[in-house]
């Protein structure tokens, strides 16, 4: 069903619209105004039972970023070199900045301090961070550009015309926010806007109306140009490119991966009237092989570029200046912060300053710890969302505690935290464990998987029952909780993982490779397979995994590629009764037999408390930003969604450039979360522990 947002002064819920009404909206798409639903539509909203409760989930790498925006004087001006100045205040993460037109050191940037990416401004000498105009119902803003008293930015508040399209589109507003204008035609996807020196032209990286093919190492976007005054007259000036930057009004530099494997900067030049009949133009390669160059920012003298680079035998991304005349590189940040990554440079209008964002550093003022739980803005009024510093959470029966796995690289085992984020304990350490399920009937019993994660069918991974010897709520001075670990599966049976407990606490459903394929089994939750029962629930040459037992006890949901076993990356959503009957697929991306439905990558499914909704992570919304401009994300298209058991009511819950997953859902939306503890002395030390994209190699 095609949907649109009700636009109010707060984040609001969507309303189902008739196709006729939607088409009327498309005809007037240039200006975003207040939309009021009809009486019929209001009734349909009231009848539509919204999901409720609290969702806790993980975001790969995001808790460790600690980004702030910095600037330095260009080494080509007569000033002391390389004196770095922090432009943002150390709150949350701050990134993707641009100097505001004609105001050196005043920047517009993105910050997540309000729970979602929004646009802010900071001025030199002022301690105040100002919220710039942002679309109230949007939970994603990116790449702001302030030019000629207008603000241009990417937003993702309007659902595209089909599944597997990004929601990213370009908008503009005056700085009074009297109206918001959509510059991207409906049905088109735009990223990474750049405004020409005069403000007359805009360039974007665009899929145009093409759906997302599924790639993310390098997006198959084109460089598209249009006049700000006539955004519907668009010209593809060059095929295959991203992150455009203007030099004057008729030359664009951009990045793409060259045929020899090196990410490089390319250039196209064209007449300013855009009437040239030779579009698209074959670009000229600017930077040489042997060094990766990303996210260019052109100096307005037309002689230099600021670029982010990755060099062979160096582990960090740095900002360098490339001289277009001498064809030489000049180091900028490596001499300042050799062991920090630096991202997405930008240049002031007078070419005097260079800016970028990086991890703020342990010695810098500002937020210095990672909270155990961090609030994230939710698109649903009665649904609270929290980002966890860890993975695979599960709530205790009363919701007062959360069990999770902290850091797989450190074999951190299992930890438990209070649901207000105020305290954390270690349950198991120095032993790899993953995917937890708290017994619904036993306050001090947790089920988990012990052994290496995401391994073959024959790898030794076992289901364990973990019993506490102490209630952690009674002793705030302890760092560790004594426990007993009882193995429930036999070592010779191979890979047994992803347990989920039945609502009566008597059985576990889990994934096992003991048959030679990864299928589902049901096990005695107390005695295991040694002195209890075990039976096979599914059987076949495919992968059935990550099961979740319904709170009603009547269904088990899971992910599977059984519809196409040869594709080990595309998983869809299935449910089955505990006795093995009633197997059915829930088609999320489209009806059975459609071209889109088998592109689903759905994982980490769990039920709502009433058993009517399913929560999962999926690739349905494509990617929100160019992944090469971010630290490593294994699956940057992973966002959270909910859907009803009959496949209706699909709702998107997260919008960002990260991979979100491993959610848990508790029925209460209060718990202790109204007293969520975010003090800087609670949590892990913020150390900037994140990687460059692992798919970028210097080994050719």
């Amino acid at each position: 069903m095609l949907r649109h947002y009700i636009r109010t002064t707060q984040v609001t819920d969507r309303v189902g619209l008739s196709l006729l009404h939607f088409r009327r909206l498309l005809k007037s798409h240039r200006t975003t105004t207040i939309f009021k639903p009809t009486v019929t539509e209001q009734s349909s909203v009231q009848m539509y039972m919204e999901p409720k409760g609290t969702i806790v989930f993980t975001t790969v790498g995001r808790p460790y970023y600690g980004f702030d925006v910095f600037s330095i004087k260009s080494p080509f001006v007569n000033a002391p070199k390389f004196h770095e100045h922090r432009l943002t205040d150390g709150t949350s993460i701050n990134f993707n900045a641009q100097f505001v037109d004609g105001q050196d050191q005043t920047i517009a940037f993105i910050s997540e301090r309000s729970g979602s990416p929004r646009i802010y401004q900071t001025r030199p000498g002022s301690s105040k961070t100002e919220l710039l105009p942002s679309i109230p119902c949007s939970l994603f803003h990116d790449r702001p550009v302030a030019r000629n008293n207008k603000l241009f930015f990417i937003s993702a508040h309007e659902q595209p015309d089909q599944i597997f399209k990004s929601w990213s589109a370009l908008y503009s507003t005056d700085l009074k926010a009297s109206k918001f204008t959509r510059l991207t035609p409906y049905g088109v996807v735009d990223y990474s806007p750049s405004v020409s020196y005069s403000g007359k032209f805009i360039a974007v990286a665009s899929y145009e109306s093409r759906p997302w093919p599924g790639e993310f190492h390098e997006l198959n976007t084109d460089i598209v140009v249009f006049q700000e005054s006539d955004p519907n007259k668009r010209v593809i000036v060059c095929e295959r490119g991203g992150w455009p930057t203007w030099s004057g009004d008729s030359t664009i530099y951009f990045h793409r991966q060259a045929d020899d494997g090196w990410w490089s900067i390319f250039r196209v030049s064209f007449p300013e009237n855009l009437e040239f009949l030779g579009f698209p133009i074959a670009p000229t390669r600017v930077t040489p092989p042997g060094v990766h160059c990303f996210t260019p920012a052109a100096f307005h003298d037309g002689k230099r570029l600021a670029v982010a680079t990755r060099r062979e035998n160096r582990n960090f991304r740095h900002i360098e200046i490339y001289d277009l005349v001498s064809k030489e590189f000049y180091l900028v940040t490596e001499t300042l912060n050799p062991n920090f990554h630096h991202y997405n440079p930008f240049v002031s209008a007078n070419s005097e300053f260079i800016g970028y964002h990086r991890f703020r550093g342990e010695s810098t003022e500002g937020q210095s710890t990672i909270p155990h739980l961090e609030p994230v803005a939710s698109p649903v009024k009665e649904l609270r969302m929290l980002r966890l510093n860890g993975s695979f959470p599960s709530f205790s029966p009363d919701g007062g505690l959360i069990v999770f796995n902290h850091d797989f690289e450190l074999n951190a085992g299992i930890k438990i935290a209070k649901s207000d984020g105020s305290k954390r304990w270690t349950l198991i350490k120095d032993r790899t464990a993953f995917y937890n399920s708290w017994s619904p009937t036993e306050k001090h019993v947790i089920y988990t998987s012990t052994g290496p994660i995401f391994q073959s069918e024959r790898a030794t991974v076992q289901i364990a029952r973990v019993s506490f010897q102490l209630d952690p709520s009674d002793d705030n001075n302890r760092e560790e909780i004594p426990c007993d670990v009882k193995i429930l599966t036999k070592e010779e049976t191979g890979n047994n993982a992803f347990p989920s407990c039945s609502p009566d606490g008597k059985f576990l459903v889990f994934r096992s490779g003991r048959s030679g394929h990864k299928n589902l089994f049901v096990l005695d939750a107390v005695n295991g397979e040694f002195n209890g029962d075990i039976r096979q629930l599914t059987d076949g040459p495919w992968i059935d995994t990550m099961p979740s037992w319904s709170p009603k006890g009547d269904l088990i949901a899971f992910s599977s590629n059984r519809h196409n076993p040869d594709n080990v990356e595309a998983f869809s959503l299935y449910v089955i009764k505990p006795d093995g009957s009633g197997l059915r697929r829930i088609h999320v991306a489209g009806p059975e037999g459609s071209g889109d439905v088998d592109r689903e990558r759905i994982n980490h499914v769990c039920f709502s408390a009433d058993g009517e909704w399913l929560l999962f992570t999926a690739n349905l919304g494509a990617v929100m930003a160019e992944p090469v401009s971010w630290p490593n994300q294994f699956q940057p298209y992973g966002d959270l969604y909910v859907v009803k058991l009959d496949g209706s009511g699909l709702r998107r819950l997260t919008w960002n450039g990260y991979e979100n997953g491993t959610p848990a859902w508790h029925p209460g939306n209060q718990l202790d979360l109204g007293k969520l503890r975010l003090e800087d002395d609670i949590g892990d030390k913020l150390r900037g522990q994140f990687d460059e994209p692992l798919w970028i190699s210097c080994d050719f």
Side-chain angles (χ1 to χ4, degrees):
M1 179 184 294
L2 297 172
R3 293 194 178 92
H4 203 73
Y5 275 106
I6 307 172
R7 294 174 178 83
T8 67
T9 56
Q10 296 179 339
V11 176
T12 53
D13 301 332
R14 286 181 225 165
V15 179
L17 300 181
S18 69
L19 183 57
L20 178 61
H21 196 164
F22 187 83
R23 285 171 176 163
R24 285 201 295 264
L25 286 171
L26 297 191
K27 291 180 180 179
S28 58
H29 73 271
R30 289 287 314 278
T31 301
T32 298
T33 56
I34 301 297
F35 169 70
K36 296 182 179 180
T38 65
V39 174
T40 302
E41 290 163 346
Q42 289 173 338
S43 299
S44 68
V45 173
Q46 294 168 357
M47 294 176 62
Y48 189 72
M49 298 299 293
E50 295 289 345
K52 299 179 180 180
T54 297
I55 291 173
V56 173
F57 65 98
T58 186
T59 302
V60 173
R62 163 60 180 80
Y64 303 100
Y65 288 170
F67 288 149
D68 266 320
V69 179
F70 294 78
S71 72
I72 61 169
K73 285 270 191 177
S74 167
F76 295 96
V77 300
N78 295 322
K81 294 183 179 180
F82 306 133
H83 176 69
E84 192 178 43
H85 179 60
R86 189 172 72 161
L87 302 179
T88 51
D89 60 4
T91 301
S92 186
I93 66 169
N94 309 289
F95 56 96
N96 284 356
Q98 291 287 330
F99 290 111
V100 174
D101 218 12
Q103 303 180 52
D104 288 341
Q105 304 295 318
T106 297
I107 58 169
F109 64 99
I110 298 296
S111 180
E112 295 187 1
R113 63 190 63 208
S114 64
S116 67
R118 300 183 76 82
I119 308 170
Y120 293 83
Q121 177 177 275
T122 184
R123 303 173 186 272
S126 173
S127 60
K128 182 180 179 181
T129 298
E130 306 170 46
L131 178 65
L132 288 180
S134 303
I135 296 178
C137 59
S138 177
L139 296 184
F140 179 83
H141 298 81
D142 196 19
R143 299 297 309 278
V145 180
R147 185 68 52 83
N148 299 336
N149 293 316
K150 284 190 174 183
L151 182 66
F152 304 87
F153 57 91
I154 296 294
S155 177
H157 63 286
E158 294 182 292
Q159 184 168 332
D161 56 347
Q162 63 186 94
I163 209 81
F164 297 115
K165 268 191 179 180
S166 176
W167 295 42
S168 295
L170 179 63
Y171 297 80
S172 69
T173 183
D174 56 50
L175 294 181
K176 296 180 180 179
S178 58
K179 67 177 182 180
F180 294 96
T181 300
R182 177 168 175 143
L183 302 179
T184 300
Y186 280 84
V188 171
V189 177
D190 286 340
Y191 305 102
S192 308
S194 178
V195 180
S196 70
Y197 187 73
S198 69
K200 181 179 178 181
F201 297 104
I202 298 173
V204 292
S206 181
Y207 274 118
E208 288 294 278
S209 60
R210 305 188 304 273
W212 176 56
E215 87 292 340
F216 67 90
H217 292 176
E218 179 187 7
L219 300 186
N220 294 325
T221 53
D222 300 326
I223 304 300
V224 172
V225 171
F226 52 87
Q227 291 189 43
E228 190 270 337
S229 61
D230 189 7
N232 290 318
K233 187 177 180 181
R234 297 162 59 98
V235 176
I236 299 176
V237 299
C238 182
E239 295 176 331
R240 194 173 151 243
W243 207 272
T245 179
W246 287 91
S247 177
D249 276 16
S250 60
T251 297
I252 292 175
Y253 295 89
F254 61 91
H255 66 205
R256 77 180 189 194
Q257 192 170 20
D259 293 339
D260 55 21
W262 294 97
W263 280 81
S264 298
I265 308 305
F266 290 77
R267 179 184 65 238
V268 289
S269 297
F270 44 86
E272 291 186 19
N273 60 16
L274 297 183
E275 298 296 334
F276 178 58
L277 298 179
F279 290 126
I281 301 170
T284 300
R285 186 175 185 173
V286 174
T287 56
V291 56
H292 289 299
C293 296
F294 323 95
T295 60
F299 284 67
H300 296 296
D301 60 10
K303 298 178 180 179
R304 302 176 185 92
L305 299 173
V307 294
T309 64
R310 273 287 307 282
R311 291 183 174 273
E312 192 174 5
N313 300 321
R314 298 181 190 175
N315 295 325
F316 294 91
R317 184 181 297 208
H318 281 290
I319 307 304
E320 302 185 31
I321 293 176
Y322 183 71
D323 191 302
L324 295 165
V325 178
S326 67
K327 302 187 185 307
E328 294 181 353
F329 286 94
Y330 295 86
L331 301 180
V332 176
T333 61
E334 188 171 7
T335 57
L336 293 169
N337 312 297
N339 297 323
F340 289 165
H341 295 294
H342 299 72
Y343 292 93
N344 305 353
F346 55 102
V347 179
S348 63
N350 61 6
S351 298
E352 186 175 349
F353 294 98
I354 302 170
Y356 47 84
H357 63 264
R358 65 165 174 86
F359 167 56
R360 64 180 62 102
E362 296 182 52
S363 61
T364 306
E365 293 183 1
Q367 183 180 330
S368 60
T369 58
I370 305 170
H372 301 317
L373 293 164
E374 178 184 11
V376 175
S378 171
V380 182
K381 183 178 180 181
E382 297 297 327
L383 195 62
R384 299 197 63 178
M385 300 184 65
L386 296 171
R387 179 181 290 120
L388 172 73
N389 182 18
S391 302
F392 298 117
S394 180
F395 282 98
S396 62
D398 64 0
L401 300 170
I402 301 170
V403 61
F404 61 97
N405 309 115
H406 183 231
D407 191 328
F408 294 118
E409 292 185 3
L410 298 178
N411 293 330
I414 298 177
K415 294 186 183 293
I416 292 176
K418 285 189 173 183
S419 60
D420 67 355
S422 63
K423 179 69 177 178
R424 187 182 70 189
W425 300 267
T426 297
L427 191 61
I428 294 177
K429 67 177 182 179
D430 300 325
R431 181 176 185 175
T432 301
F434 63 95
Y435 202 90
N436 311 289
S437 178
W438 208 307
S439 171
T441 59
E442 297 178 272
K443 185 178 181 181
H444 302 135
V445 173
I446 291 167
Y447 299 95
T448 192
S449 319
T450 62
I453 189 170
F454 299 131
Q455 297 297 313
S456 69
E457 292 88 347
R458 296 305 182 188
T460 300
V461 183
Q462 295 174 298
I463 303 298
R465 175 184 168 98
V466 183
S467 304
F468 313 169
Q469 296 179 357
L470 177 71
D471 185 342
S473 300
D474 296 336
D475 189 351
N476 285 327
N477 296 318
R478 286 182 176 268
E479 296 295 327
E480 299 182 12
I481 302 173
C483 65
D484 293 323
V485 179
K486 180 180 180 180
I487 301 300
L488 300 181
T489 52
K490 297 178 180 179
E491 183 175 356
E492 66 270 17
T493 59
N495 193 332
N496 304 288
F498 304 110
S500 178
C501 193
S502 62
D504 61 8
K506 296 180 179 180
F507 300 98
L508 298 175
V509 60
F510 67 102
R511 188 268 290 141
S512 179
R514 64 186 62 205
S515 67
H517 305 290
K518 292 181 177 179
N519 297 141
L520 302 184
F521 289 74
V522 175
L523 177 72
D524 186 298
V526 177
N527 300 309
E529 63 177 315
F530 297 96
N531 298 305
D533 293 331
I534 185 170
R535 60 184 172 85
Q536 189 163 358
L537 183 64
T538 65
D539 185 14
W542 46 69
I543 300 173
D544 299 327
T545 190
M546 298 184 182
S548 175
W549 212 311
S550 165
K552 296 179 179 179
D554 59 335
L555 290 174
I556 293 168
F558 61 99
S559 296
S560 179
N561 70 338
R562 58 175 53 222
H563 52 280
N564 186 7
D566 293 332
N567 188 343
V568 296
E569 295 185 346
F571 286 77
S572 291
L573 185 56
Y574 289 81
V575 291
I576 192 172
K577 293 182 179 180
D579 63 4
S581 65
L583 174 70
R584 65 183 175 90
R585 179 178 176 181
I586 299 175
H587 296 89
V588 176
E592 183 176 5
S594 66
D596 288 330
V597 71
D598 287 342
R599 292 184 57 195
E600 295 173 346
R601 298 186 68 162
I602 296 177
N603 284 294
H604 306 155
V605 60
C606 65
F607 281 92
S608 61
D610 60 8
E612 297 297 323
W613 291 89
L614 292 168
L615 167 67
F616 54 89
T617 184
N619 62 339
L620 307 177
V623 295
M624 303 303 299
E626 296 192 47
V628 74
S629 68
W630 281 98
N632 184 62
Q633 295 288 321
F634 295 99
Q635 298 178 124
Y637 44 76
D639 276 299
L640 299 182
Y641 294 80
V642 291
V643 73
K644 299 203 58 112
L645 273 175
D646 62 2
S648 66
L650 179 67
R651 298 292 301 271
R652 185 172 183 172
L653 300 182
T654 60
W655 289 259
N656 51 53
Y658 318 132
E659 177 185 355
N660 304 292
T662 71
W665 196 346
H666 189 273
N669 62 359
Q670 298 301 321
L671 303 177
D672 291 330
L673 302 178
K675 303 176 181 178
L676 196 64
R677 301 289 296 277
L678 299 173
E679 294 92 332
D680 207 39
D681 60 344
I682 299 176
D684 290 334
K685 185 71 175 178
L686 182 60
R687 295 190 172 93
Q689 299 161 295
F690 52 85
D691 297 318
E692 271 286 89
L694 301 181
W695 37 269
I696 296 177
S697 172
C698 293
D699 184 15
F700 294 108

